[in-house]
Amino acid sequence: MFVRITADSALRPNSLRDLGLTSESNALVSLSEFSYKKGTEIYGEKEPAEYVYQVKSGAVRSYKLLSDGRRQIGAFHLTGDIFGLANGAEHRFTTEAIVDTTVRLVRRQSLEIVAESDALVAKNLLSMTTNNLQHAEDHMLLLGRKTSLERVAAFLLEMDNRLTASGVIALPMSRRDIADYLGLTLETVSRALSRLHDLGILGFVGNTQRQIILLDRNQLASLDLQP
Amino acid sequence: MFVRITADSALRPNSLRDLGLTSESNALVSLSEFSYKKGTEIYGEKEPAEYVYQVKSGAVRSYKLLSDGRRQIGAFHLTGDIFGLANGAEHRFTTEAIVDTTVRLVRRQSLEIVAESDALVAKNLLSMTTNNLQHAEDHMLLLGRKTSLERVAAFLLEMDNRLTASGVIALPMSRRDIADYLGLTLETVSRALSRLHDLGILGFVGNTQRQIILLDRNQLASLDLQP
DNA sequence: CGGTGAGTTGAATCGCCTCAAAGGGGGTGG
DNA sequence: CCACCCCCTTTGAGGCGATTCAACTCACCG
């Protein structure tokens, strides 16, 4: 693994709380930080699930591959997100750093042990899993029934909500990543963005590789039928 | 609601065990049975999630609708399956009986109370939610990246596994239901089944409305790329 | 026996994909 | 510091798979 240890792996109290897993019994759990260079794998599908991760900075994609290379990205993990959690004994996705990324991690086992005796931690585990499930359920609707324009609009709204909620976003992922998340090709994503630009629903700031996008959330929302 | 009470709603011990939620503390939880006629709604999206259900007999579809009527079925619930569980305060799907269906149900609230003090129950709740999540993750890959033939092959394999695991199945749901589950149209599903028939991968028994299907699981599996 | 709804099949259309080419941006090495 | 190269992105043209529209069959039911 191309990882670099950037912080202590000391035993610290409150580490569960750091992961959003509020605990009254301040169990001692090892909490480390790791950094992954852009494009490197964090863990692979079918690997034993040893750790649970939280994005400290950067962005992560988690995906499945078919044997012929077709890829479906199930989720993007952004700053603050916890991932690698919703697994049985082994990971069901491969995850990679989209940009240089730093994560915090705790041993999965220590979480399970604490959850055994601490109902609050158990509750939070369930609640996080339920959130993941809800996201997957919404995404099934998108993948099964929405048009390319609706998918891209929904994607932009989701990213705006999660990144800034301000109508100005800098996407960390490529067109190909977006396409594999939305079940489209990168060309179709590009065309949809151009179309939204032509419609005056979004604009680009600067001509940098990963553009900053200004968007009109109301107009986007009208393109993305939810109910 | 077009429901008919077919059994007692008496307080019974072991009712959690009946739902597969093994409990050491045999809490008293009300367990009822309800029957739904073919095509009737069990609960609607956004309704408060008052009960958790287990299919005693029959089959259930659970789906989301877009405002213009496009439908995505997220799951089919067959005999023994528990559904209505993976929700926060309110349901995220509408569920309907596909055929005449009898369900057992427990109040969601009583489950939560027991889970509070019983780590085993809490663990089972988490494990069931994780199973739902895994199904949704696999389905995202299908909806985002598989061809119509691969989708139908995957569907037949899933149904065979869950219904009989014998290579002979009687599908309870219509072509339209299958289509809305697979993100296709009913015509495309029909064409795919005809194609599989022509390829000698499946056969029909009788000419009844909901045919019995004989299938070659090995040949189907070779059409459905997973890894 | 008509009526109805589910299923199959064909023909035409359409949306997205594939293939291709051209335009930058950013990074690297001279 | 600049030139070159590589990769990402955009855009166009053509093709294809799935959808749409339509006709017909068949089981089931009054």
Side-chain angles (χ1 to χ4, degrees):
Chain A
M1 286 206 303
F2 300 101
V3 302
R4 183 166 45 94
I5 299 180
T6 58
D8 60 322
S9 54
L11 294 177
R12 290 201 303 170
N14 296 335
S15 54
L16 286 173
R17 196 142 67 217
D18 291 346
L19 273 177
L21 292 164
T22 317
S23 173
E24 288 172 357
S25 65
N26 282 316
L28 295 181
V29 181
S30 68
L31 184 72
S32 312
E33 278 190 20
F34 277 125
S35 288
Y36 297 88
K37 281 244 172 70
K38 169 178 175 170
T40 56
E41 179 174 312
I42 299 174
Y43 56 77
E45 194 176 345
K46 304 235 170 109
E47 282 181 12
E50 197 173 355
Y51 296 100
V52 174
Y53 303 79
Q54 184 181 35
V55 179
K56 194 187 175 197
S57 69
V60 173
R61 59 181 167 245
S62 93
Y63 64 87
K64 286 173 181 286
L65 281 182
L66 292 176
S67 52
D68 61 1
R70 281 174 282 175
R71 183 177 72 158
Q72 179 62 44
I73 293 179
F76 293 115
H77 308 294
L78 308 175
T79 302
D81 291 351
I82 288 165
F83 66 98
L85 171 71
N87 298 289
E90 56 184 36
H91 290 295
R92 295 193 301 268
F93 285 102
T94 302
T95 53
E96 292 171 354
I98 295 175
V99 294
D100 291 358
T101 297
T102 301
V103 300
R104 291 189 273 189
L105 44 84
V106 298
R107 286 196 174 280
R108 179 182 176 69
Q109 205 183 6
S110 38
L111 262 192
E112 278 171 1
I113 290 168
V114 176
E116 204 74 39
S117 59
D118 189 330
L120 245 171
V121 171
K123 208 174 197 173
N124 279 334
L125 281 176
L126 178 58
S127 139
M128 282 191 265
T129 304
T130 300
N131 287 341
N132 290 343
L133 178 56
Q134 178 158 7
H135 181 270
E137 290 167 350
D138 291 340
H139 211 58
M140 286 194 289
L141 177 61
L142 179 148
L143 293 172
R145 288 295 176 223
K146 291 190 181 177
T147 66
S148 63
L149 204 65
E150 289 167 345
R151 294 180 202 212
V152 171
F155 168 76
L156 291 173
L157 283 170
E158 181 190 351
M159 286 302 130
D160 185 49
N161 280 333
R162 293 174 55 194
L163 285 168
T164 65
S166 70
V168 182
I169 55 182
L171 296 174
M173 70 289 287
S174 69
R175 297 290 184 262
R176 170 165 294 283
D177 286 339
I178 299 172
D180 286 348
Y181 180 61
L182 299 178
L184 301 169
T185 60
L186 63 91
E187 293 94 334
T188 300
V189 170
S190 180
R191 279 184 243 273
L193 288 172
S194 297
R195 188 128 155 263
L196 291 173
H197 179 82
D198 292 347
L199 290 168
I201 293 178
L202 59 80
F204 300 100
V205 175
N207 270 352
T208 72
Q209 197 70 4
R210 206 68 85 240
Q211 286 133 328
I212 292 170
I213 295 183
L214 295 148
L215 45 90
D216 182 323
R217 281 182 282 173
N218 291 330
Q219 288 192 66
L220 280 180
S222 73
L223 289 180
D224 175 39
L225 323 193
Q226 260 294 337
Chain B
M1 287 206 302
F2 299 102
V3 304
R4 182 165 47 93
I5 299 179
T6 59
D8 60 322
S9 53
L11 292 178
R12 291 201 301 172
N14 297 332
S15 54
L16 285 175
R17 197 139 68 216
D18 291 347
L19 273 178
L21 291 165
T22 318
S23 172
E24 287 170 359
S25 65
N26 283 315
L28 295 180
V29 181
S30 69
L31 184 73
S32 313
E33 279 191 19
F34 276 15
S35 288
Y36 298 88
K37 281 245 171 68
K38 169 178 174 170
T40 57
E41 177 174 313
I42 299 174
Y43 56 77
E45 193 176 347
K46 305 235 171 109
E47 281 183 12
E50 197 172 356
Y51 297 100
V52 174
Y53 304 79
Q54 182 180 36
V55 180
K56 193 187 174 196
S57 69
V60 173
R61 60 179 167 247
S62 95
Y63 64 87
K64 286 173 181 287
L65 283 182
L66 292 176
S67 52
D68 62 359
R70 281 174 282 173
R71 183 177 71 158
Q72 179 62 45
I73 293 180
F76 293 114
H77 308 294
L78 309 176
T79 302
D81 291 352
I82 289 165
F83 67 98
L85 171 70
N87 298 289
E90 56 184 36
H91 290 294
R92 295 192 303 266
F93 285 102
T94 301
T95 54
E96 292 172 354
I98 295 174
V99 295
D100 290 359
T101 298
T102 301
V103 300
R104 292 189 271 189
L105 46 83
V106 298
R107 284 195 176 282
R108 177 182 180 69
Q109 205 183 4
S110 38
L111 263 193
E112 279 170 1
I113 291 168
V114 176
E116 204 74 38
S117 58
D118 190 329
L120 244 170
V121 171
K123 208 173 195 172
N124 279 334
L125 281 177
L126 178 58
S127 139
M128 281 192 264
T129 304
T130 301
N131 286 342
N132 290 345
L133 178 57
Q134 178 159 6
H135 181 268
E137 290 167 349
D138 291 341
H139 212 57
M140 285 193 289
L141 177 61
L142 179 148
L143 293 171
R145 288 297 177 221
K146 292 190 181 177
T147 66
S148 63
L149 204 65
E150 290 167 344
R151 294 181 201 211
V152 171
F155 168 76
L156 291 173
L157 284 170
E158 181 190 350
M159 286 303 130
D160 183 49
N161 281 332
R162 293 176 54 194
L163 284 168
T164 64
S166 69
V168 182
I169 56 182
L171 296 175
M173 70 289 287
S174 69
R175 297 290 184 264
R176 169 164 293 283
D177 285 340
I178 299 172
D180 286 348
Y181 180 61
L182 299 178
L184 301 169
T185 61
L186 62 92
E187 293 95 332
T188 300
V189 170
S190 180
R191 279 184 244 273
L193 288 171
S194 298
R195 188 129 155 262
L196 291 173
H197 179 83
D198 293 347
L199 290 169
I201 293 178
L202 59 81
F204 298 100
V205 176
N207 271 351
T208 73
Q209 196 70 2
R210 205 69 85 240
Q211 286 135 327
I212 292 170
I213 295 183
L214 296 148
L215 45 88
D216 182 325
R217 282 182 281 172
N218 290 329
Q219 289 193 67
L220 279 180
S222 72
L223 290 180
D224 175 37
L225 323 193
Q226 261 294 335

